[in-house]
Amino acid sequence: APLPTLSINDVSITEGNSGTSNATFTVTLSAASNSNVTVNYGTANGTATSGSDFTNRSGTLTFTPGQLTKTFTVPVIGDTTVEPNETFLVNLTTPTNATIFDGQGVGTIIDNDSVIPTFQFSL
């Protein structure tokens, strides 16, 4: 039988002005397996920078027989800097008992610090 495949979703999160917010990624197995399925995940910089925009995360997900989804979180760091929306990547690597179908998730950090335009009206 062909091995089940692994896919990761894309996530958008509003950064906030302080503290951290968690971007929750979901890794999905295409079909239940009779064996444990493992896959490693790790974050990577896109236009967002680890340490200032998000916190690096890596680890291993284990799907026990019958499980189809696993989640993990990546902390997004809030600030009050006006900046474009930024992205970071999550890569899936070295699966066991499965193959990778969509191995890259994109985390989009939506900036909530807009410049408020001021208008002067003359009557």
Side-chain angles (χ1 to χ4, degrees):
L3 290 173
T5 61
L6 291 157
S7 299
I8 187 170
N9 67 335
D10 297 333
V11 175
S12 293
I13 185 169
T14 301
E15 68 167 13
N17 290 334
S18 63
T20 57
S21 306
N22 281 329
T24 301
F25 287 85
T26 302
V27 178
T28 304
L29 194 60
S30 63
S33 176
N34 294 324
S35 311
N36 279 352
V37 171
T38 62
V39 66
N40 295 333
Y41 66 89
T43 51
N45 287 356
T47 54
T49 306
S50 166
S52 61
D53 297 310
F54 71 98
T55 302
N56 265 331
R57 281 288 181 264
S58 61
T60 302
L61 301 175
T62 300
F63 296 79
T64 56
Q67 282 189 317
L68 291 174
T69 60
K70 298 294 273 187
T71 61
F72 62 92
T73 59
V74 177
V76 170
I77 302 166
D79 62 36
T80 54
T81 305
V82 177
E83 55 198 349
N85 292 347
E86 297 176 305
T87 58
F88 62 92
L89 306 173
V90 182
N91 295 303
L92 300 180
T93 55
T94 56
T96 59
N97 296 318
T99 58
I100 292 175
F101 176 72
D102 177 358
Q104 187 168 80
V106 178
T108 301
I109 303 170
I110 299 167
D111 184 61
N112 64 331
D113 306 303
S114 58
V115 177
I116 298 167
T118 56
F119 298 99
Q120 192 158 2
F121 296 99
S122 51
L123 299 175

Coordinates of all heavy atoms in Angstrom, one line a residue, residues 16-108:
G16 N -0.5 42.0 17.3 CA -0.7 42.6 18.6 C 0.4 43.6 18.9 O 1.4 43.6 18.2
N17 N 0.2 44.4 19.9 CA 1.2 45.4 20.3 C 2.2 45.0 21.3 O 3.3 45.7 21.4 CB 0.4 46.7 20.8 CG -0.4 47.3 19.7 OD1 -0.1 47.2 18.5 ND2 -1.4 48.0 20.1
S18 N 2.0 44.0 22.0 CA 3.0 43.5 23.0 C 2.7 42.1 23.3 O 1.7 41.5 22.8 CB 2.8 44.4 24.3 OG 1.6 44.2 24.8
G19 N 3.6 41.5 24.1 CA 3.5 40.1 24.4 C 3.6 39.2 23.2 O 4.1 39.6 22.2
T20 N 3.1 38.0 23.3 CA 3.1 37.0 22.2 C 1.7 36.5 21.9 O 0.9 36.4 22.8 CB 4.1 35.9 22.5 OG1 3.7 35.2 23.6 CG2 5.5 36.3 22.6
S21 N 1.5 36.1 20.7 CA 0.3 35.4 20.2 C 0.8 34.2 19.6 O 1.8 34.1 18.9 CB -0.5 36.3 19.2 OG -0.7 37.6 19.7
N22 N 0.0 33.1 19.7 CA 0.4 31.8 19.1 C -0.2 31.6 17.8 O -1.4 31.6 17.6 CB 0.1 30.7 20.1 CG 1.1 30.6 21.2 OD1 2.2 30.9 21.1 ND2 0.6 30.1 22.3
A23 N 0.6 31.4 16.8 CA 0.2 30.9 15.5 C 0.1 29.4 15.5 O 1.2 28.7 15.8 CB 1.1 31.3 14.4
T24 N -1.1 28.8 15.4 CA -1.2 27.4 15.5 C -1.3 26.7 14.1 O -2.1 27.0 13.3 CB -2.5 27.0 16.3 OG1 -2.4 27.6 17.6 CG2 -2.7 25.5 16.4
F25 N -0.3 25.9 13.9 CA -0.2 25.1 12.6 C -0.8 23.7 12.8 O -0.6 23.1 13.8 CB 1.2 25.0 12.1 CG 1.8 26.3 11.6 CD1 2.3 27.3 12.5 CD2 1.7 26.6 10.2 CE1 2.8 28.5 12.0 CE2 2.2 27.8 9.8 CZ 2.8 28.8 10.6
T26 N -1.4 23.2 11.7 CA -2.0 21.9 11.7 C -1.3 21.0 10.7 O -1.2 21.5 9.5 CB -3.5 21.9 11.5 OG1 -4.1 22.7 12.5 CG2 -4.1 20.5 11.6
V27 N -0.8 19.9 11.1 CA -0.2 18.9 10.1 C -1.2 17.8 10.0 O -1.7 17.3 11.0 CB 1.2 18.4 10.6 CG1 1.7 17.4 9.6 CG2 2.1 19.6 10.8
T28 N -1.5 17.5 8.8 CA -2.6 16.5 8.5 C -2.0 15.3 7.8 O -1.2 15.4 6.8 CB -3.7 17.1 7.6 OG1 -4.2 18.3 8.3 CG2 -4.8 16.2 7.4
L29 N -2.4 14.1 8.2 CA -2.0 12.9 7.6 C -3.2 12.5 6.7 O -4.3 12.5 7.1 CB -1.8 11.8 8.7 CG -1.1 10.5 8.3 CD1 0.3 10.8 7.8 CD2 -1.0 9.6 9.6
S30 N -2.9 12.1 5.4 CA -3.9 11.8 4.4 C -4.8 10.6 4.7 O -5.9 10.5 4.3 CB -3.3 11.6 3.0 OG -2.4 10.5 3.1
A31 N -4.2 9.6 5.5 CA -5.0 8.4 5.8 C -4.4 7.9 7.1 O -3.2 8.1 7.4 CB -4.9 7.4 4.7
A32 N -5.2 7.2 7.9 CA -4.7 6.7 9.2 C -3.7 5.6 8.8 O -3.8 4.9 7.8 CB -5.9 6.1 10.0
S33 N -2.7 5.5 9.7 CA -1.7 4.5 9.5 C -1.8 3.5 10.6 O -2.3 3.7 11.7 CB -0.3 5.2 9.6 OG 0.7 4.2 9.5
N34 N -1.3 2.2 10.3 CA -1.2 1.2 11.4 C 0.0 1.3 12.2 O 0.2 0.6 13.2 CB -1.3 -0.2 10.7 CG -2.7 -0.4 10.1 OD1 -3.7 0.1 10.6 ND2 -2.7 -1.1 9.0
S35 N 0.9 2.2 11.7 CA 2.2 2.4 12.4 C 2.3 3.8 12.9 O 1.6 4.7 12.5 CB 3.4 2.2 11.4 OG 3.2 1.0 10.7
N36 N 3.2 4.1 13.9 CA 3.5 5.5 14.2 C 4.1 6.2 13.1 O 5.0 5.6 12.4 CB 4.5 5.5 15.4 CG 3.8 5.3 16.8 OD1 2.5 5.2 16.9 ND2 4.6 5.2 17.8
V37 N 3.6 7.4 12.8 CA 4.2 8.3 11.8 C 4.8 9.4 12.5 O 4.2 10.0 13.4 CB 3.1 8.8 10.8 CG1 3.6 9.9 9.9 CG2 2.5 7.6 10.0
T38 N 6.1 9.7 12.2 CA 6.7 10.9 12.8 C 7.2 11.8 11.6 O 7.5 11.4 10.5 CB 8.0 10.5 13.6 OG1 8.9 9.8 12.8 CG2 7.5 9.6 14.8
V39 N 7.3 13.1 12.0 CA 7.8 14.1 11.1 C 8.4 15.2 11.9 O 7.9 15.6 13.0 CB 6.8 14.6 10.1 CG1 5.7 15.4 10.8 CG2 7.4 15.4 9.0
N40 N 9.5 15.7 11.5 CA 10.2 16.9 12.2 C 9.6 18.2 11.5 O 9.4 18.2 10.3 CB 11.7 16.8 12.0 CG 12.3 15.6 12.7 OD1 11.7 15.1 13.7 ND2 13.4 15.2 12.3
Y41 N 9.6 19.2 12.4 CA 9.2 20.5 11.9 C 10.2 21.6 12.4 O 10.8 21.4 13.5 CB 7.8 20.9 12.3 CG 7.5 21.1 13.7 CD1 7.7 22.4 14.3 CD2 7.2 20.1 14.6 CE1 7.5 22.6 15.7 CE2 7.0 20.2 15.9 CZ 7.2 21.5 16.5 OH 7.0 21.7 17.8
G42 N 10.4 22.6 11.7 CA 11.3 23.7 12.1 C 10.9 25.0 11.4 O 10.5 25.0 10.2
T43 N 11.0 26.1 12.1 CA 10.7 27.4 11.5 C 11.9 28.0 10.8 O 13.1 27.6 11.1 CB 10.3 28.4 12.6 OG1 11.3 28.4 13.7 CG2 8.9 28.0 13.2
A44 N 11.7 28.9 9.9 CA 12.7 29.5 9.1 C 12.3 31.0 8.8 O 11.1 31.2 8.7 CB 13.0 28.8 7.8
N45 N 13.2 31.9 8.7 CA 12.9 33.3 8.4 C 12.3 33.3 7.0 O 12.8 32.7 6.1 CB 14.1 34.1 8.5 CG 14.6 34.4 9.9 OD1 14.0 34.0 10.9 ND2 15.7 35.1 10.0
G46 N 11.3 34.2 6.8 CA 10.9 34.6 5.5 C 11.2 36.1 5.5 O 12.4 36.5 5.7
T47 N 10.2 37.0 5.4 CA 10.5 38.4 5.6 C 10.4 38.8 7.0 O 10.9 39.8 7.5 CB 9.4 39.3 4.8 OG1 8.1 38.9 5.2 CG2 9.6 39.1 3.3
A48 N 9.9 37.9 7.9 CA 9.9 38.0 9.3 C 11.2 37.5 9.9 O 11.8 36.5 9.3 CB 8.7 37.4 10.0
T49 N 11.7 38.0 11.0 CA 13.0 37.6 11.5 C 12.8 36.9 12.9 O 12.1 37.5 13.8 CB 13.9 38.9 11.7 OG1 13.9 39.5 10.5 CG2 15.2 38.5 12.2
S50 N 13.4 35.8 13.0 CA 13.3 35.1 14.3 C 14.0 36.0 15.4 O 15.0 36.6 15.2 CB 14.1 33.8 14.2 OG 14.3 33.2 15.4
G51 N 13.3 36.0 16.5 CA 13.9 36.8 17.7 C 13.2 38.1 17.8 O 13.1 38.6 18.9
S52 N 12.9 38.7 16.7 CA 12.2 40.0 16.8 C 10.7 39.9 16.4 O 9.9 40.6 16.9 CB 12.9 41.1 16.0 OG 12.9 40.8 14.6
D53 N 10.4 39.1 15.4 CA 9.0 38.9 14.9 C 8.3 37.6 15.4 O 7.1 37.6 15.5 CB 9.0 39.0 13.4 CG 9.5 40.3 12.8 OD1 9.0 41.4 13.3 OD2 10.3 40.3 11.9
F54 N 9.1 36.6 15.5 CA 8.6 35.3 16.0 C 9.7 34.6 16.7 O 10.9 34.9 16.6 CB 8.0 34.5 14.8 CG 9.1 33.9 13.9 CD1 9.5 32.6 14.0 CD2 9.6 34.7 12.9 CE1 10.5 32.1 13.1 CE2 10.6 34.2 12.0 CZ 11.0 32.9 12.2
T55 N 9.3 33.5 17.4 CA 10.3 32.7 18.1 C 10.5 31.4 17.4 O 9.5 30.7 17.1 CB 9.8 32.4 19.6 OG1 9.6 33.7 20.2 CG2 10.8 31.6 20.4
N56 N 11.7 31.0 17.1 CA 12.0 29.8 16.4 C 11.4 28.6 17.2 O 11.5 28.6 18.5 CB 13.5 29.6 16.3 CG 14.0 30.0 15.0 OD1 13.3 30.0 14.0 ND2 15.3 30.5 15.0
R57 N 10.9 27.7 16.5 CA 10.3 26.4 17.1 C 10.8 25.3 16.2 O 10.7 25.4 15.0 CB 8.8 26.5 17.2 CG 8.3 27.3 18.3 CD 8.5 26.6 19.7 NE 8.0 27.3 20.8 CZ 8.7 28.2 21.6 NH1 10.0 28.4 21.3 NH2 8.2 28.7 22.6
S58 N 11.1 24.2 16.9 CA 11.3 22.9 16.1 C 11.0 21.8 17.0 O 10.9 21.9 18.2 CB 12.8 22.8 15.6 OG 13.6 22.8 16.8
G59 N 10.7 20.6 16.4 CA 10.4 19.5 17.2 C 10.0 18.3 16.3 O 10.1 18.4 15.1
T60 N 9.4 17.3 16.9 CA 8.9 16.1 16.2 C 7.5 15.9 16.6 O 7.1 15.9 17.7 CB 9.8 14.9 16.6 OG1 11.2 15.2 16.3 CG2 9.4 13.7 15.8
L61 N 6.7 15.6 15.6 CA 5.3 15.3 15.8 C 5.2 13.8 15.6 O 5.8 13.2 14.7 CB 4.4 16.0 14.7 CG 4.4 17.5 14.7 CD1 3.6 18.0 13.6 CD2 3.9 18.1 16.1
T62 N 4.4 13.1 16.4 CA 4.2 11.7 16.3 C 2.7 11.4 16.2 O 1.9 11.8 17.1 CB 4.7 10.9 17.6 OG1 6.1 11.2 17.6 CG2 4.5 9.4 17.4
F63 N 2.3 10.8 15.1 CA 0.9 10.4 14.9 C 0.8 8.9 15.3 O 1.5 8.1 14.7 CB 0.5 10.5 13.4 CG 0.5 11.9 12.9 CD1 1.7 12.5 12.5 CD2 -0.7 12.6 12.7 CE1 1.7 13.8 12.0 CE2 -0.7 13.8 12.1 CZ 0.5 14.5 11.8
T64 N 0.0 8.6 16.3 CA -0.2 7.2 16.7 C -1.2 6.6 15.7 O -1.9 7.3 15.1 CB -0.6 7.1 18.2 OG1 -1.8 7.9 18.3 CG2 0.5 7.6 19.1
P65 N -1.3 5.3 15.7 CA -2.2 4.7 14.7 C -3.6 5.2 14.9 O -4.1 5.3 16.0 CB -2.1 3.2 15.1 CG -0.7 3.0 15.5 CD -0.4 4.3 16.3
G66 N -4.2 5.7 13.8 CA -5.5 6.3 13.8 C -5.6 7.8 13.8 O -6.6 8.4 13.5
Q67 N -4.5 8.4 14.3 CA -4.5 9.9 14.4 C -4.3 10.5 13.0 O -3.5 10.0 12.2 CB -3.4 10.4 15.3 CG -3.7 10.3 16.8 CD -2.7 11.0 17.6 OE1 -1.5 10.9 17.4 NE2 -3.2 11.7 18.7
L68 N -5.0 11.6 12.7 CA -4.9 12.2 11.4 C -4.4 13.6 11.5 O -4.0 14.2 10.5 CB -6.3 12.2 10.7 CG -6.8 10.8 10.3 CD1 -8.2 10.9 9.7 CD2 -5.9 10.2 9.2
T69 N -4.5 14.3 12.6 CA -4.0 15.7 12.7 C -3.2 15.9 14.0 O -3.5 15.3 15.0 CB -5.1 16.7 12.7 OG1 -6.0 16.5 13.8 CG2 -5.9 16.7 11.4
K70 N -2.2 16.7 13.9 CA -1.4 17.2 15.0 C -1.2 18.7 14.9 O -1.1 19.2 13.8 CB 0.0 16.5 15.1 CG -0.1 15.0 15.2 CD -0.6 14.6 16.6 CE 0.5 14.5 17.6 NZ 0.0 13.9 18.9
T71 N -1.2 19.4 16.0 CA -0.9 20.8 15.9 C 0.3 21.2 16.8 O 0.7 20.5 17.7 CB -2.1 21.6 16.5 OG1 -2.4 21.3 17.8 CG2 -3.4 21.4 15.6
F72 N 0.9 22.3 16.4 CA 1.9 22.9 17.3 C 1.8 24.4 17.1 O 1.2 24.9 16.1 CB 3.3 22.4 16.9 CG 3.7 22.7 15.5 CD1 4.4 23.9 15.2 CD2 3.4 21.9 14.5 CE1 4.8 24.2 13.9 CE2 3.8 22.2 13.1 CZ 4.5 23.3 12.9
T73 N 2.4 25.2 18.0 CA 2.3 26.6 17.9 C 3.7 27.3 17.8 O 4.7 26.7 18.2 CB 1.7 27.2 19.2 OG1 2.5 26.8 20.3 CG2 0.3 26.7 19.4
V74 N 3.7 28.4 17.1 CA 4.8 29.3 16.9 C 4.5 30.6 17.6 O 3.5 31.3 17.1 CB 5.2 29.5 15.5 CG1 6.4 30.4 15.3 CG2 5.5 28.1 14.8
P75 N 5.2 31.1 18.6 CA 4.9 32.4 19.2 C 5.3 33.5 18.3 O 6.4 33.6 17.8 CB 5.8 32.4 20.5 CG 6.2 31.0 20.7 CD 6.2 30.3 19.3
V76 N 4.3 34.4 18.1 CA 4.5 35.6 17.3 C 4.7 36.8 18.3 O 3.9 36.9 19.2 CB 3.4 35.8 16.3 CG1 3.4 37.2 15.7 CG2 3.3 34.8 15.3
I77 N 5.7 37.6 18.1 CA 6.0 38.7 19.1 C 5.4 40.0 18.6 O 5.6 40.4 17.5 CB 7.6 38.8 19.1 CG1 8.2 37.5 19.6 CG2 7.9 40.0 20.1 CD1 9.7 37.4 19.4
G78 N 4.6 40.5 19.5 CA 3.9 41.8 19.2 C 4.8 43.0 19.4 O 5.8 43.0 20.1
D79 N 4.5 44.0 18.6 CA 5.3 45.3 18.7 C 4.4 46.4 18.2 O 3.3 46.2 17.7 CB 6.6 45.2 18.0 CG 6.5 45.0 16.5 OD1 5.5 45.6 15.9 OD2 7.3 44.3 15.9
T80 N 4.9 47.6 18.3 CA 4.1 48.8 17.8 C 4.8 49.4 16.6 O 4.6 50.6 16.3 CB 3.9 49.8 18.9 OG1 5.2 50.2 19.5 CG2 3.1 49.3 20.0
T81 N 5.7 48.6 16.0 CA 6.4 49.1 14.8 C 5.4 49.1 13.6 O 4.8 48.0 13.4 CB 7.6 48.3 14.5 OG1 8.4 48.3 15.7 CG2 8.4 48.8 13.3
V82 N 5.4 50.2 12.8 CA 4.6 50.1 11.6 C 5.4 49.4 10.5 O 6.5 49.9 10.2 CB 4.2 51.6 11.1 CG1 3.5 51.5 9.8 CG2 3.4 52.2 12.2
E83 N 5.0 48.3 10.1 CA 5.8 47.5 9.1 C 4.8 46.8 8.2 O 3.6 46.6 8.5 CB 6.6 46.5 9.9 CG 5.9 45.6 10.9 CD 6.8 45.0 11.9 OE1 8.0 45.0 11.8 OE2 6.2 44.4 12.9
P84 N 5.3 46.3 7.1 CA 4.4 45.5 6.2 C 4.1 44.2 6.9 O 4.8 43.8 7.8 CB 5.3 45.3 4.9 CG 6.7 45.5 5.4 CD 6.6 46.5 6.5
N85 N 3.1 43.5 6.4 CA 2.8 42.1 6.8 C 4.1 41.3 6.5 O 4.7 41.5 5.5 CB 1.6 41.6 6.1 CG 0.3 42.2 6.5 OD1 0.3 43.0 7.5 ND2 -0.8 42.0 5.7
E86 N 4.4 40.4 7.4 CA 5.6 39.6 7.2 C 5.3 38.2 7.3 O 4.3 37.8 7.8 CB 6.6 40.0 8.3 CG 7.0 41.5 8.3 CD 7.9 41.8 9.4 OE1 7.6 41.6 10.6 OE2 9.0 42.3 9.2
T87 N 6.2 37.4 6.7 CA 6.0 35.9 6.7 C 7.2 35.2 7.3 O 8.3 35.6 7.2 CB 5.7 35.4 5.3 OG1 6.8 35.7 4.5 CG2 4.4 36.0 4.7
F88 N 6.9 34.0 7.9 CA 7.9 33.1 8.3 C 7.5 31.7 7.7 O 6.3 31.5 7.3 CB 8.2 33.0 9.8 CG 7.0 32.6 10.6 CD1 6.8 31.3 10.9 CD2 6.0 33.6 11.0 CE1 5.7 30.9 11.7 CE2 4.9 33.2 11.8 CZ 4.8 31.9 12.1
L89 N 8.4 30.8 7.7 CA 8.1 29.5 7.1 C 8.2 28.4 8.2 O 9.0 28.5 9.1 CB 9.1 29.2 6.0 CG 9.2 30.3 4.9 CD1 10.4 30.0 4.0 CD2 7.9 30.4 4.2
V90 N 7.5 27.3 8.0 CA 7.6 26.1 8.8 C 7.8 25.0 7.8 O 7.0 24.8 6.9 CB 6.4 25.8 9.7 CG1 6.7 24.6 10.5 CG2 6.1 27.0 10.6
N91 N 8.9 24.3 8.0 CA 9.3 23.2 7.0 C 9.2 21.8 7.7 O 9.6 21.7 8.9 CB 10.7 23.4 6.5 CG 10.9 24.6 5.7 OD1 10.2 24.8 4.7 ND2 11.7 25.5 6.1
L92 N 8.5 20.9 7.0 CA 8.5 19.5 7.5 C 9.6 18.7 6.8 O 9.9 18.8 5.7 CB 7.1 18.9 7.1 CG 5.9 19.5 7.6 CD1 4.6 18.7 7.1 CD2 5.8 19.6 9.1
T93 N 10.3 17.9 7.7 CA 11.4 17.1 7.2 C 11.4 15.7 7.8 O 10.8 15.5 8.8 CB 12.8 17.8 7.5 OG1 12.8 18.0 8.9 CG2 12.9 19.1 6.8
T94 N 12.2 14.8 7.2 CA 12.5 13.5 7.6 C 11.3 12.7 8.2 O 11.3 12.4 9.4 CB 13.6 13.5 8.7 OG1 13.3 14.4 9.8 CG2 14.9 13.9 8.0
P95 N 10.3 12.5 7.4 CA 9.1 11.7 7.8 C 9.5 10.2 8.0 O 10.4 9.7 7.3 CB 8.1 11.9 6.7 CG 8.9 12.1 5.5 CD 10.2 12.8 5.9
T96 N 8.8 9.5 8.8 CA 8.9 8.1 8.9 C 7.5 7.5 8.7 O 6.5 8.1 9.2 CB 9.4 7.5 10.2 OG1 8.6 8.0 11.3 CG2 10.9 8.0 10.4
N97 N 7.3 6.4 7.9 CA 6.1 5.8 7.6 C 5.1 6.7 6.9 O 3.9 6.4 6.9 CB 5.4 5.2 8.9 CG 6.3 4.1 9.5 OD1 6.9 3.3 8.7 ND2 6.4 4.1 10.8
A98 N 5.6 7.7 6.2 CA 4.7 8.6 5.4 C 5.7 9.4 4.5 O 6.9 9.3 4.6 CB 4.0 9.6 6.3
T99 N 5.0 10.0 3.5 CA 5.8 10.9 2.6 C 5.2 12.3 2.8 O 4.1 12.5 3.2 CB 5.7 10.5 1.1 OG1 4.4 10.4 0.7 CG2 6.3 9.1 1.0
I100 N 6.0 13.3 2.4 CA 5.6 14.7 2.5 C 4.9 15.1 1.2 O 5.5 15.0 0.1 CB 6.7 15.6 2.9 CG1 7.2 15.3 4.3 CG2 6.3 17.1 2.8 CD1 8.4 16.0 4.8
F101 N 3.7 15.6 1.3 CA 3.0 16.1 0.1 C 3.1 17.7 0.1 O 3.5 18.2 -1.0 CB 1.5 15.7 0.2 CG 0.6 16.3 -0.9 CD1 0.8 15.9 -2.2 CD2 -0.2 17.4 -0.7 CE1 0.0 16.4 -3.3 CE2 -1.0 17.9 -1.7 CZ -0.9 17.4 -3.0
D102 N 2.8 18.4 1.1 CA 3.0 19.8 1.2 C 3.8 20.1 2.5 O 3.3 20.1 3.6 CB 1.6 20.5 1.3 CG 1.7 22.0 1.5 OD1 2.9 22.5 1.6 OD2 0.7 22.7 1.6
G103 N 5.1 20.3 2.3 CA 6.0 20.3 3.4 C 6.4 21.7 3.9 O 7.3 21.8 4.7
Q104 N 5.7 22.7 3.4 CA 6.0 24.1 3.8 C 4.8 24.9 4.2 O 3.9 25.1 3.3 CB 6.9 24.8 2.8 CG 7.4 26.2 3.3 CD 8.4 26.8 2.4 OE1 8.1 27.4 1.4 NE2 9.7 26.6 2.7
G105 N 4.7 25.3 5.4 CA 3.6 26.2 5.8 C 4.1 27.6 5.9 O 5.3 27.8 6.2
V106 N 3.2 28.5 5.6 CA 3.6 29.9 5.6 C 2.8 30.6 6.7 O 1.6 30.5 6.8 CB 3.3 30.6 4.3 CG1 3.6 32.1 4.4 CG2 4.0 30.0 3.1
G107 N 3.5 31.2 7.6 CA 2.9 32.0 8.7 C 2.9 33.5 8.3 O 4.0 34.0 8.0
T108 N 1.8 34.1 8.2 CA 1.7 35.5 7.9 C 1.4 36.3 9.1 O 0.4 36.0 9.8 CB 0.6 35.8 6.8 OG1 1.0 35.0 5.6 CG2 0.6 37.3 6.4

